[in-house]
Each structure stands twice: as structure tokens, then as C-alpha cells.
Amino acid sequence: MPNKLSIQTAAFAGVSAPLTIIYAAEGQAPTGAAAAIWSATSLDWHTVSASAAFKGKQGQALDIIGQGAGRLIVLGKGKADEKAPFNAWTDRGGSLFAKIAAARAESVAVIVDEPGATPAAIAELAAGLRLRHYKFDKYKTVRPDEPAGDIAITLHVADPTATDTAIANRGAVVEGTLLARDLINEPANVLGPVEFAARAAELSALGVDVEILEPAELEKLGMGSLLCVAQGSDRPARLVVMQWRGGDVGAAPLAFVGKGVVFDTGGISIKPAASMEEMKGDMGGAAAVTGLMRALAGRKAPVNAVGVIGLVENMPSGNAVRPGDIVTAMSGTTIEVINTDAEGRLVLADALWYTQDRFKPRFMINLATLTGAVIVALGHEHAGLFSNNDELAIQLLNAGLTANEKLWRMPLSPAYDKLIESKFADIRNSVGRPAGSITAAQFLQRFVNNVPWAHLDIAGTAFGTSATEINASWSAGFGVALLDRLVRDYYQG
Ligand code: BES
Ligand code: MN
Ligand code: ZN
């Protein structure tokens, strides 16, 4: 087990810890409660900061040892007048955790006293601490460089009570993100469709209603598209339906649908060996949906929401679906399987149809590690956004900027739609290299009726991103904070 992190708040009076951390803005001595801490050292600010070449720039640190009771670190926070975006606070929490871990401190007091330090801002800082602390090292039997003990951080703030409430609320979303990371990082031998469904079922402890549909049921529903992907695997498919009812009784829910391919070999159209191990993360969409449901339930969001995830394993075998096979989706649409590696859209076709048919949602948003082509287009900085609804698209773009999980909108049109027509069936699941992410989106749209809908292609952002201030793990848990933001900012009462 990694070392535990606990975060609590206290007022400015009575700061006492082996390590105290304060902030200073660029070109300024510490102010407010931080000034009081500094003056207890009896050191002259100008002399000390000048001799250490400390200018208060972001990332700079001034480490003072042996003055008074303990150790004092002054962290630079950049320009004082800078109107920092909200997520700068999250990043600040992340770099703060890195500093504390590097200092090998176990008990730390942090003074947060500045004009922008609202309870919501400090909750972001606390979220950043926890997100950066996350490690997936349960399979490491040897861990060099591990700090010896647990870490307890006390945030000294102006309004501890209000800050506690804000931290708890934001903490529910952190837990959702960390759940998504855990699910994505877990190898496929441990997390198959059945095991994933069992993890989702654990959300019932938070008041989420969880149904698990097995293959016989899916067969009865006519999900020939989803089931053909699973048929090559010894491990049976599952469709999980998670419902959170925090809103008005009977009000149409917000619907979230996730691609949950627990491992994608490509099937008979098998993938090359290089980096195939990363395909354990091909359930990143389903993980984000599950994490989001956890976040909404954890903070008792006043909305009705439903999460639907299609869980399958894409394997080659004597029973696997072949190129050229024609299957019938729940909607009645026939699909020619050109490439068995274009399996995500086959799973989502039935999951989307089922969701809109059963729940008549207010909107339907799906997340999927759908195409390598979106990585070619956008790299790892933005996820691809496709939508049939401008209002929903703009809300998502804004939520992405606020949560720092950014989206970039890409087009849909009848001309692209035409490309997915099949010689033998209604549509085909693979077209060829040009506009690969768009033709995949067009395929999904064939299974969406008049509901406002958005598809997020998270192939470049769900895993394998470079380390950030708030993530040192292979998987970022992309999508949970973004969709929680969407719900918070636009759909809560
Ligand atoms: N799971 C992959 C997409 C992917 C690639 C996700 C890299 C994350 C990282 C998806 O199932 C896939 O194989 N897509 C094919 C589609 C093609 C056969 C039309 C692709 O992108 O090559
Ligand atoms: Mn594939
Ligand atoms: Zn896939």
C-alpha cells in the first residue's frame, strides 16, 4: 500500500508542525498570515530572499532550516495580480504535494491566505494534493524511495468550516477520478468484463442503483453488434446500467455511455505487438462513466443521471467474428464487419441505442478510446468532440477549459456519413484512413435519434499522457472532472 495522505483544515492561529509552508508572490515579501510565520524566524526577508535568488516565481522554493522550532519552506506563486484560472489552484496543489513528498515530510502545515483563496479554490488545491499523491503500485513488491510514513497536511485557512464542506464536495469528484485511474491501470487478467461489473456494483453502497445484464439478456434485446465483439473471448460480455436519482422524481436523466473493451487485441484483424499492452486501457470510456457516477453519488448531486457501459474483451479465436461477417444491431441496422479492430463502435452502437430507447435522456454523451486517428489529429492535449447539438458542444468545451480536461470539436456531415455505407449491409464498421475519427463518429451517430448527443474520442487522453502537476500515473482518469463540471455548471437546478 502506498503511504496514506490525510488533509485537514484549521484557522490561522496556532500553527505548529515540523514543516510549515507559506507562499510569496513574485517580488513581494509574504503577506497576511504568511507574514506572521515569516517574522517568527527573525530573518530579514530582503537579505535572505536576495541571497537565495528567490524571486517568488512559480516553482521556486526557499528552504529555511534551523530557525525556531522547525523547517519553513516559502513557495513562489508567481505574479500577485495574475487572475489565475480556477484550475491553477488544482495544479498548485499538485506541485505542493510533490514538494512535500520530496521534503520527506510527514506532518505539514500549509498557510493559504490570499485574496483568491476562497473555499472552492482551496478545495481545488486539496484535490490537486490527492490527485498528485495517487500511485498505482499495488503490484510492486519492491519500492525504493518510498517515504517511510503517512502524510498529514493541515491547511490553515480563513474559513475552515466552509472550506471543509468545499473539500468534501470536490473530494467526491477526486474519488471518481481515482476510481477511473484504478480501473484503467488494472491489467486485463485481473479486470475482465465480469470483474469490472463487480467494481461498478460497489457503487450501490453510495446509493447508485446498479443492474448487470448478462449475455442471455443482451441476446434477447437483440444486441448482435455488441455481442459479436465478445464472441471470440472466453470471458462473457456484460452491460452495466448505473442510475443515480438525485433530481426530481421522473425527470429525464442525463445519460453517459462508455466503451469498455477490457482488452483490445484487434481480434482477427489483429494488432501489431508494439504497445499492445496499452490496450488494457481500452475501457477508459467505461472507467470515466463509472468514476463520474461515483462522483455524482458521492457529492449527492441534485440530478438524475444514468451511466451505461458495454464491457467486452476483443480476442481472436475459432469463434471470433470475422471480417466480412454481417451482424444485426439492436436498432435493426445491419453492419458489415470489415475490420474486427474497429470494435468500439460495435459495442457503442447497441449501448447507445439501448440507453436512448430505455431512458429518453435529456442528453446522451458517450466516451470511448475509439480511434488511433484522433491521436494523429490532436495528440494527447485535447480529446475529440463530436456533437449533433451546438449548445451541448459549447457547454462541453467550456467545462473542459474549467476542469483542464480539454476538448476540440470536429465535424460531422452527410458527406462523411455517406462513407460508411456498405456493399452488402446497411453500414460497414471501417472505411479506411482518411478522416478515421470522423467516420467512426458518423457510425455512432447512426444509432442516435433526436436526442442531444456528444461523442468524446478519448483515445489520446485516457492513458499514456505525459506527467502533469496533478498526475504522475499512466492514466489521468480523463473525463470525470470534465463531466462533473458540465453537470455542476449547466444541469443542476
Ligand atoms: N482501441 C482502438 C483505438 C486506440 C488506439 C485507442 C490507440 C487508444 C490508443 C480501437 O479499437 C481501434 O483499434 N481503432 C482502429 C480503427 C480502425 C481499424 C478503423 C484504429 O484506430 O486503428
Ligand atoms: Mn480496436
Ligand atoms: Zn478498441
Side-chain angles (χ1 to χ4, degrees):
M1 280 296 285
N3 55 320
K4 285 210 182 72
L5 169 66
S6 62
I7 299 169
Q8 56 172 40
T9 64
F12 292 132
V15 175
S16 143
L19 169 62
T20 301
I21 295 179
I22 61 177
Y23 285 95
E26 198 168 324
Q28 287 182 18
T31 58
I37 300 284
W38 178 264
S39 61
T41 66
S42 313
L43 294 169
D44 177 65
W45 172 258
H46 287 289
T47 314
V48 173
S49 60
S51 64
F54 178 86
K55 298 202 166 62
K57 290 201 160 85
Q58 197 121 37
Q60 277 193 315
L62 181 60
D63 208 334
I64 312 273
I65 297 169
Q67 290 294 321
R71 177 175 178 186
L72 176 66
I73 297 178
V74 188
L75 294 179
K77 65 177 181 194
K79 293 210 170 61
D81 53 3
E82 214 163 49
K83 192 94 184 72
F86 206 54
N87 58 56
W89 281 95
T90 336
D91 283 353
R92 210 212 271 191
S95 47
L96 175 61
F97 180 80
K99 198 80 209 163
I100 290 168
R104 301 201 152 250
E106 294 181 3
S107 176
V108 187
V110 183
I111 318 301
V112 194
D113 185 20
E114 58 193 89
T118 60
I122 297 166
E124 287 301 319
L125 181 130
L129 287 167
R130 293 182 64 188
L131 291 166
R132 181 66 177 265
H133 167 255
Y134 173 85
K135 267 192 193 149
F136 187 81
D137 59 359
K138 63 194 268 202
Y139 297 108
K140 291 267 191 199
T141 63
V142 181
R143 277 188 225 102
D145 295 339
E146 188 76 359
D150 297 341
I151 300 176
I153 299 174
T154 303
L155 302 175
H156 292 268
V157 302
D159 186 346
T161 310
T163 306
D164 283 347
T165 306
I167 288 177
N169 190 282
R170 181 64 174 90
V173 186
V174 171
E175 257 137 51
T177 299
L178 299 186
L179 172 60
R181 286 184 188 176
D182 269 344
L183 291 166
I184 293 169
N185 286 324
E186 198 69 66
N189 61 325
V190 176
L191 196 81
V194 171
E195 294 79 14
F196 193 135
R199 295 289 297 273
E202 289 171 14
L203 296 186
S204 60
L206 293 172
V208 178
D209 196 18
V210 184
E211 292 162 68
I212 299 175
L213 280 64
E214 302 194 358
E217 186 99 20
L218 303 178
E219 197 97 51
K220 248 194 279 167
L221 287 163
M223 294 197 183
S225 185
L226 181 148
L227 284 169
C228 86
V229 179
Q231 79 190 37
S233 171
D234 288 343
R235 302 201 279 180
R238 292 288 186 267
L239 187 90
V240 181
V241 180
M242 296 166 270
Q243 292 186 73
W244 167 249
R245 296 187 188 85
D248 295 339
V249 176
L254 314 175
F256 302 93
V257 179
K259 167 181 173 181
V261 177
V262 298
F263 195 83
D264 181 13
T265 63
I268 297 299
S269 315
I270 198 161
K271 287 183 179 295
S275 303
M276 204 208 275
E277 73 282 359
E278 299 210 319
M279 286 300 112
K280 72 173 182 175
D282 207 20
M283 28 54 72
V289 169
T290 309
L292 176 69
M293 295 308 290
R294 172 158 186 165
L296 296 177
R299 68 177 181 83
K300 302 204 184 314
V303 293
N304 295 333
V306 50
V308 175
I309 56 177
L311 302 170
V312 299
E313 182 175 47
N314 188 21
M315 294 289 266
S317 83
N319 194 45
V321 68
R322 289 159 290 255
D325 285 3
I326 294 175
V327 299
T328 304
M330 183 183 175
S331 68
T333 301
T334 56
I335 302 165
E336 184 184 8
V337 178
I338 299 291
N339 187 321
T340 67
D341 196 13
E343 85 297 339
R345 65 197 76 181
L346 296 173
V347 173
L348 286 172
D350 284 335
L352 287 167
W353 186 264
Y354 174 83
T355 302
Q356 75 183 355
D357 192 49
R358 174 171 169 191
F359 294 104
K360 315 281 185 274
R362 229 171 128 184
F363 67 57
M364 183 159 69
I365 297 174
N366 73 260
L367 299 95
T369 49
L370 202 65
T371 64
V374 84
I375 309 176
V376 176
L378 300 175
H380 303 282
E381 300 305 321
H382 292 80
L385 161 66
F386 299 84
S387 183
N388 63 1
N389 184 288
D390 290 345
E391 192 187 353
L392 179 60
I394 289 164
Q395 291 170 348
L396 278 162
L397 289 167
N398 286 337
L401 290 173
T402 309
N404 203 19
E405 293 184 342
K406 296 189 288 296
L407 305 173
W408 197 260
R409 192 170 181 185
M410 294 170 77
L412 293 163
S413 80
Y416 290 117
D417 180 70
K418 224 174 146 42
L419 299 176
I420 67 172
E421 278 169 13
S422 156
K423 208 181 311 172
F424 298 104
D426 296 334
I427 53 175
R428 53 181 172 165
N429 80 327
S430 172
V431 178
R433 283 168 63 82
S437 299
I438 304 173
T439 51
Q442 293 292 165
F443 184 98
L444 299 183
Q445 196 177 11
R446 288 287 184 121
F447 301 90
V448 176
N449 291 329
N450 277 326
V451 62
W453 160 75
H455 153 52
L456 311 185
D457 192 335
I458 61 170
T461 50
F463 53 77
T465 51
S466 51
T468 65
E469 292 296 1
I470 59 167
N471 182 40
S473 157
W474 180 65
S475 166
F478 183 96
V480 177
L482 160 74
L483 294 174
D484 181 77
R485 228 339 119 188
L486 175 82
V487 173
R488 249 174 223 271
D489 288 352
Y490 298 104
Y491 292 92
Q492 285 187 187

